[in-house]
């Protein structure tokens, strides 16, 4: 039975005795084809970028001393391309194909569909240009600058949202199917996350500062960051699972009740979990503990979804051996189950103390994205290719080869990163028999990981090879398409505007998915059936669930005075230090270095005094990082002289043998635009940073004076002549690094003498 099966048992027929009004319509598969092809092309680019930066960690010479090819600039490009270009286009492919069939209606507007497609591709191109050039907000998964953020809001919240909701309103199927629940939650929650995390003060055409600072910014960022994974890389792909898996297996979803429990518990619980990314940091302990508790609870609904997916294959498991589509779906769902077990485990404080900042997290993330998102997307594409191109798949054997090669690649990747992460964590915390750090030099841990980085590179290469197999299959299938696509005309009764709830019968699922199975359990869930018949009301309840969870976490963090401490000796950055911080962000230093010394013996022994919340009150945005490829930098100020930093930028291996840090020789050659100092200080003043009244007027002069002083000290220390370097960018970055972590060691000013420093 096809998706367009007619039937009146769902309430589509008239309830007032009048004749049923039948309507004819066609589906817009052209837009689905566009998004599917974009998914492959951007996915290949994202995976190749990831493969390249993986090689850079094993062979740093591949940075080539070129600014836009360094790891720090390309890593955000890779993550954004994988999430928003590959993952985003995959989501839209699934939504535009399945929603039309589940609603028995063409998308609300062909114009909106095409504006959505081209607008999203333009956003991706803008990201691909700006990130390598160093235009970034410096917030993980939210790096894109303010003009692109506005474009995302317009395309996602406005155009996509209007098209999705418009289609639901004009649908011909009374009850919205489970896949659509997840699409609604994804669209709505990403709107909320993106808008509130992207609030900034503009400091230039492609420069802005977050309205949040320090602890609050970290909290908001990981409220966004974790839930971007939840509502961009999880819920829409669950919608994909709930539609495409039953269609491919020709079996109904195992349990309607379980799908309801899965959906609502996931939507409500997931939003609380973000703070577990900030264990043992300057975030209040109650917030990270709350995040941990809800993260552990996430295991239950997540595995409920996995079980619902796998048990849908009851009676069809014999087909998995021969059908590559089902192979990809089964392994994809299995990776979902594995990731949603490992994720809660990593959120437990005792485990997180070892895993955080290590490559274990990288392995976990990639097992989820490559195994869950990647394989679900590949399965969907193989399912759609013969239907969208209206011909047979060119090679089932090549699709099967893609599956095995890709799976081997993921396993090699995950195991190598797991080994690397555990190695890092144990070496960082190791003490010898005298009570001293066993590996005091950070680079000792780096050199131990190089073989594992090569294994990771090999695994990534196999995964990319599988994607190339799929590309060949797509191309050859496309070449065998008919001269003109057939557009079947479907017919269904117009939806009666008057809805009278009635007991649900087998025909409900039959009309929607075209599969055979009796669902007596429907009769006990009338309240939810009523919500399914009213998509606007359903959307409102999703918003309530998301808002309640978010506000319960955010309000105490903002209102309780103890969560906003200050330290008398912590002062705003000087104009030159502020410009240096902008360079630090632009070069992507935060993707390799943290600025958060945790209150653990092995960290305080290695880096110094643990970090205090009040030290970050002027950090817009925060720079605590999430990974340590290099050492923590929060106490780097004063630890090395200026010349050491100058030479370190020129050639890190000249200073530290075995370092995998790229060189930054252009910072020693390019002149700093001192004229930007005034606009930067002005923007910070607007955010409440207490600069003196004349700070904006004298910002450029102050910056030049401090740069000249640093240049003279470099000359005295044996470096190049001061006059030849006093305008270079490296001086601003040195000024910023030398300031880090030093304020709490300073003596308080006279006017602050009565204020007690933070404990």
């Amino acid at each position: 039975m096809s998706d367009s099966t007619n039937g009146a048992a769902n309430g589509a027929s008239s309830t007032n005795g009048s004749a049923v009004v039948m309507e004819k319509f066609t589906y817009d598969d052209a837009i689905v084809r566009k998004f599917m092809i974009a998914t492959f092309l951007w996915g290949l680019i994202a995976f190749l970028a990831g493969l390249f930066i993986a090689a850079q960690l094993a062979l740093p010479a591949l940075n080539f001393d070129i600014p836009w090819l360094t790891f720090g600039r390309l890593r955000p490009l890779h993550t954004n391309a994988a999430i928003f270009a590959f993952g985003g286009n995959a989501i839209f492919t699934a939504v535009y194909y399945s929603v039309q069939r589940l609603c028995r209606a063409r998308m609300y507007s062909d114009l909106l569909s095409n504006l959505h497609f081209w607008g999203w591709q333009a956003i991706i191109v803008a990201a691909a240009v700006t990130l390598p050039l160093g235009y970034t907000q410096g917030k993980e998964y939210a790096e894109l600058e303010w003009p692109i953020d506005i474009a995302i809001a317009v395309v996602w919240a406005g155009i996509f949202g209007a098209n999705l909701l418009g289609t639901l309103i004009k649908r011909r199927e009374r009850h919205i199917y489970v896949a659509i629940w997840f699409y609604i939650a994804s669209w709505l929650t990403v709107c909320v996350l993106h808008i509130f995390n992207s609030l900034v003060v503009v400091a230039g055409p492609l420069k802005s500062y977050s309205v949040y600072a320090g602890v609050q910014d970290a909290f908001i960022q990981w409220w966004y960051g974790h839930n971007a994974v939840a509502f961009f890389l999880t819920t829409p792909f669950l919608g994909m699972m709930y539609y495409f898996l039953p269609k491919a297996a020709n079996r109904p979803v195992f349990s309607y009740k379980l799908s309801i429990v899965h959906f609502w518990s996931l939507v409500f619980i997931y939003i609380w979990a973000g703070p577990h990314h900030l264990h043992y940091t300057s975030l209040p302990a109650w917030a990270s503990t709350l995040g941990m508790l809800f993260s552990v609870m996430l295991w239950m609904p997540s595995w409920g979804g996995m079980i619902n997916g796998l048990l849908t294959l009851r009676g069809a498991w014999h087909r998995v051996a021969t059908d590559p589509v089902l192979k990809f779906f089964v392994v994809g769902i299995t990776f979902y189950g594995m990731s949603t077990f490992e994720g809660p485990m990593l959120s437990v404080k005792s485990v997180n103390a070892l895993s955080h900042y290590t490559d274990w997290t990288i392995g976990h993330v990639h097992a989820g994205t490559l195994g869950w998102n990647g394989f679900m997307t590949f399965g969907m594409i193989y399912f759609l290719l013969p239907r969208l191109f209206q011909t047979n798949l060119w090679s089932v054997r090549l699709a099967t080869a893609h599956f095995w090669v890709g799976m081997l690649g993921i396993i090699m990747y995950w195991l190598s990163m797991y080994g690397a992460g555990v190695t890092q964590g144990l070496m960082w915390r190791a003490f010898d028999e005298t009570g001293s750090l066993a590996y005091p030099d950070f680079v000792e841990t780096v050199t131990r990981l190089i073989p594992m980085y090569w294994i990771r590179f090999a695994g990534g290469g196999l995964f990319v090879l599988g994607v190339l197999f799929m590309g060949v299959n797509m191309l050859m299938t496309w070449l065998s398409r008919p001269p003109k696509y057939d557009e079947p005309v479907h017919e269904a009764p117009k939806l009666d505007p008057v809805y009278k709830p009635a007991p649900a019968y087998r025909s409900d699922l039959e009309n929607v998915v075209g599969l055979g199975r009796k669902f007596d359990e429907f009769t006990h869930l009338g309240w939810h059936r009523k919500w399914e018949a009213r998509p606007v009301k359903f959307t409102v309840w999703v918003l309530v669930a998301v808002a309640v969870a978010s506000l319960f976490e955010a309000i105490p963090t903002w209102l309780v005075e103890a969560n906003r401490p200050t330290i008398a000796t912590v002062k705003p950055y000087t104009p030159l230090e502020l410009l240096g911080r902008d360079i630090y962000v632009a070069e992507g230093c935060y993707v390799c270095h943290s600025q958060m010394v945790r209150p653990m013996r092995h960290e305080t022994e290695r880096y110094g005094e643990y970090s205090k919340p009040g030290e970050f009150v002027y950090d817009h945005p925060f720079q605590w990082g999430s990974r340590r490829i290099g050492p923590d930098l929060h106490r780097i100020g004063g630890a090395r002289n200026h010349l050491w930093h100058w030479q370190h930028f020129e050639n890190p291996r000249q200073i530290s043998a075995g370092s995998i840090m790229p060189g930054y020789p252009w910072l020693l050659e390019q002149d700093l635009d001192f004229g930007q100092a005034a606009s930067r200080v002005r923007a910070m003043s607007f955010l409440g940073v207490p600069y003196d009244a004349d700070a904006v007027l004298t910002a450029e002069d102050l910056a030049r004076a401090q740069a000249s002083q640093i240049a003279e000290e470099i000359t005295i220390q044996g470096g190049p002549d001061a006059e030849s370097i006093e305008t270079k960018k490296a001086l601003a970055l040195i000024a910023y690094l030398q300031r880090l972590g030093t304020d709490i060691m300073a003596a308080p000013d006279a006017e602050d003498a009565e204020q007690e420093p933070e404990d």
Side-chain angles (χ1 to χ4, degrees):
M1 191 175 293
S2 69
D3 289 309
S4 59
T5 301
N6 297 329
N10 58 6
S13 61
S14 175
T15 60
N16 56 17
S18 60
V20 174
V21 178
M22 301 299 292
E23 295 181 331
K24 294 183 178 181
F25 57 94
T26 60
Y27 296 133
D28 181 10
D29 283 342
I31 190 65
V32 184
R33 282 189 285 268
K34 290 177 183 177
F35 276 118
M36 182 181 69
I37 293 170
T39 300
F40 166 75
L41 293 176
W42 288 119
L44 182 60
I45 292 171
F47 302 144
L48 287 172
L51 191 63
F52 181 66
I53 63 174
Q56 286 180 325
L57 291 183
L59 190 64
L62 293 177
N63 289 277
F64 297 115
D65 287 343
I66 299 174
W68 45 272
L69 281 183
T70 58
F71 180 90
R73 294 198 191 184
L74 288 185
R75 197 261 187 171
L77 175 67
H78 162 63
T79 56
N80 278 266
I83 297 170
F84 301 110
F86 171 68
N89 279 293
I91 292 167
F92 302 139
T93 302
V95 169
Y96 277 88
Y97 183 84
S98 60
V99 166
Q100 294 186 81
R101 287 154 175 83
L102 293 172
C103 292
R104 286 193 276 178
R106 192 179 181 92
M107 292 305 296
Y108 176 72
S109 168
D110 288 0
L111 175 61
L112 288 178
S113 297
N114 283 286
L115 286 175
H116 178 195
F117 175 79
W118 291 111
W120 196 256
Q121 310 319 309
I123 288 169
I124 296 169
V125 171
V129 172
T130 57
L131 289 174
L133 293 178
Y135 296 106
T136 172
Q137 292 189 49
K139 299 177 71 171
E140 200 161 1
Y141 310 141
E143 290 92 349
L144 303 181
E145 269 294 355
W146 65 271
I148 307 176
D149 275 344
I150 293 175
I152 292 172
V154 170
V155 174
W156 177 277
I159 296 174
F160 175 47
N163 215 11
L164 176 61
L165 296 179
T167 306
L168 295 178
I169 290 171
K170 76 167 192 176
R171 71 195 187 285
R172 297 180 181 86
E173 177 65 39
R174 172 63 67 187
H175 293 277
I176 56 175
Y177 178 62
V178 57
I180 299 179
W181 311 348
F182 285 94
Y183 297 154
I184 291 173
S186 303
W187 168 76
L188 181 64
T189 311
V190 169
C191 288
V192 174
L193 295 169
H194 174 71
I195 291 171
F196 282 96
N197 189 56
S198 300
L199 297 177
V200 297
V201 167
V202 176
L206 282 172
K207 182 61 186 175
S208 62
Y209 294 117
S210 171
V211 299
Y212 316 107
V215 173
Q216 282 80 13
D217 190 46
F219 176 87
I220 293 294
Q221 162 59 23
W222 283 112
W223 167 77
Y224 163 87
H226 186 81
N227 290 304
V229 173
F231 291 94
F232 203 92
L233 295 179
T234 302
T235 53
F237 285 86
L238 287 169
M240 183 189 299
M241 178 194 80
Y242 274 112
Y243 179 81
F244 287 99
L245 179 62
K247 294 295 293 182
N250 197 34
R251 302 293 299 165
V253 171
F254 170 69
S255 173
Y256 173 74
K257 281 184 178 179
L258 187 55
S259 67
I260 293 175
V261 174
H262 177 207
F263 175 78
W264 287 107
S265 55
L266 200 71
V267 167
F268 181 74
I269 295 175
Y270 230 132
I271 208 77
W272 298 78
H276 79 240
H277 289 264
L278 300 169
H279 285 324
Y280 302 109
T281 67
S282 296
L283 188 77
W286 67 262
S288 68
T289 300
L290 190 67
M292 177 190 71
L293 293 175
F294 276 87
S295 298
V296 172
M297 285 191 287
L298 267 175
W299 171 77
M300 293 179 287
S302 298
W303 271 42
M306 177 193 68
I307 291 169
N308 215 8
L310 293 179
L311 291 184
T312 296
L313 289 167
R314 291 193 313 172
W317 279 102
H318 62 283
R319 293 180 49 207
V320 176
T322 56
D323 188 344
V325 173
L326 292 181
K327 278 187 172 69
F328 278 107
F329 283 156
V330 167
V331 172
I333 295 168
T334 303
F335 269 107
Y336 171 65
M338 293 167 56
S339 296
T340 53
F341 173 79
E342 187 181 32
M345 181 183 70
L346 291 175
S347 75
V348 176
K349 286 189 175 183
S350 57
V351 180
N352 189 271
L354 174 69
S355 68
H356 195 48
Y357 292 128
T358 74
D359 285 326
W360 186 351
T361 304
I362 304 304
H364 164 67
V365 169
H366 282 77
T369 52
L370 300 180
W372 162 238
N373 302 115
F375 270 35
M376 289 300 295
T377 298
F378 301 151
M380 177 189 68
I381 289 176
Y382 283 119
F383 175 86
L384 290 177
L385 280 174
R387 290 164 175 82
L388 293 180
F389 292 146
Q390 298 181 2
T391 185
N392 294 325
L393 181 67
W394 182 66
S395 175
V396 173
R397 292 181 64 185
L398 191 60
T400 302
H402 174 194
F403 169 80
W404 289 111
V405 169
M407 189 167 71
L408 178 60
I410 295 172
I411 292 172
M412 290 176 63
Y413 191 112
W414 183 80
L415 289 177
S416 62
M417 288 298 94
Y418 175 82
V422 173
T423 299
Q424 285 172 307
L426 293 177
M427 290 183 71
W428 291 345
R429 62 173 54 206
F431 288 88
D432 61 22
E433 62 276 5
T434 67
S436 302
L437 288 170
Y439 306 99
D441 192 348
F442 188 91
V443 77
E444 293 181 87
T445 66
V446 174
T447 55
R448 292 286 183 93
L449 304 183
I450 299 302
M452 302 179 206
Y453 285 161
W454 281 118
I455 296 173
R456 186 256 299 271
F457 174 78
L462 288 175
F463 189 85
V464 172
L465 179 62
V467 175
L468 292 174
F469 287 171
M470 185 177 72
V472 172
N473 228 346
M474 289 180 68
L475 176 62
M476 299 307 294
T477 304
W478 176 77
L479 290 174
S480 65
R481 72 195 186 283
K484 184 178 180 180
Y485 292 120
D486 181 31
E487 293 189 1
V489 177
H490 305 280
E491 188 176 48
K494 182 178 180 180
L495 194 66
D496 194 318
V498 179
Y499 172 53
K500 294 184 178 180
Y505 296 102
R506 164 65 201 89
S507 55
D508 290 321
L509 189 67
E510 182 177 292
N511 287 328
V512 176
V513 192
L515 304 172
R517 181 183 176 189
K518 185 176 181 180
F519 273 74
D520 294 331
E521 57 195 36
F522 282 177
T523 60
H524 305 296
L525 296 166
W527 60 274
H528 201 270
R529 297 292 286 168
K530 293 178 183 178
W531 288 7
E532 294 169 36
R534 296 180 174 90
V536 175
K537 182 177 182 179
F538 189 94
T539 303
V540 170
W541 279 114
V542 172
L543 178 60
V544 169
V546 170
V548 166
S550 299
L551 292 174
F552 265 101
E553 278 191 315
I555 289 176
T557 304
W558 287 96
L559 297 184
V560 178
E561 188 65 27
N563 292 325
R564 295 182 285 121
T566 58
I567 301 175
T569 56
V570 173
K571 303 297 183 183
Y573 296 109
T574 67
L576 184 66
E577 291 163 358
L578 191 56
L579 290 174
R581 192 174 197 274
D582 290 346
I583 294 172
Y584 182 94
V585 171
E587 297 298 343
C589 301
Y590 62 92
V591 305
C592 293
H593 298 281
S594 59
Q595 288 187 27
M596 175 53 59
V597 182
R598 297 177 294 176
M600 302 172 178
R601 184 187 168 211
H602 65 278
E603 295 213 2
T604 56
E605 289 279 344
R606 187 183 301 274
Y607 301 119
E609 181 69 13
Y610 72 89
S611 303
K612 311 296 194 298
E615 295 185 78
F616 305 101
V617 292
Y618 304 130
D619 282 8
H620 297 265
F622 83 112
Q623 290 291 283
W624 296 356
S626 61
R627 186 183 183 189
R628 285 177 182 157
I629 299 174
D632 186 274
L633 298 180
H634 192 218
R635 302 296 178 205
I636 192 68
R640 303 284 190 274
N641 64 27
H642 299 332
L643 179 61
W644 185 94
H645 286 289
W646 181 274
Q647 294 173 336
H648 194 234
F649 296 149
E650 184 177 27
N651 183 2
R653 277 153 294 286
Q654 173 184 326
I655 302 299
S656 179
S659 171
I660 59 174
M661 173 178 163
Y664 293 88
W666 60 90
L667 297 180
L668 282 59
E669 302 166 358
Q670 296 176 357
D671 289 328
L672 180 66
D673 185 355
F674 289 94
Q676 293 180 340
S679 64
R680 303 296 197 259
V681 172
R682 186 183 300 110
M684 285 294 184
S685 297
F686 187 83
L687 288 168
V689 178
Y691 283 104
D692 296 332
D694 296 332
V696 175
L697 298 176
T698 61
E700 182 174 347
D701 293 336
L702 291 173
R704 289 184 181 276
Q706 187 177 5
S708 295
Q709 180 182 354
I710 293 174
E712 291 174 1
E713 292 178 9
I714 289 176
T715 301
I716 293 172
Q717 292 162 4
D721 180 67
E723 291 186 2
S724 66
I725 64 172
E726 63 182 1
T727 62
K728 303 307 178 185
K729 287 183 175 180
L731 299 183
L733 184 53
I734 291 172
Y736 171 64
L737 292 174
Q738 295 288 33
R739 175 68 182 277
L740 288 178
T742 61
D743 280 9
I744 63 170
M745 308 300 178
D749 295 337
E751 63 269 22
D752 297 323
E754 297 182 0
Q755 299 185 31
E756 292 294 332
E758 179 187 335
D759 292 334

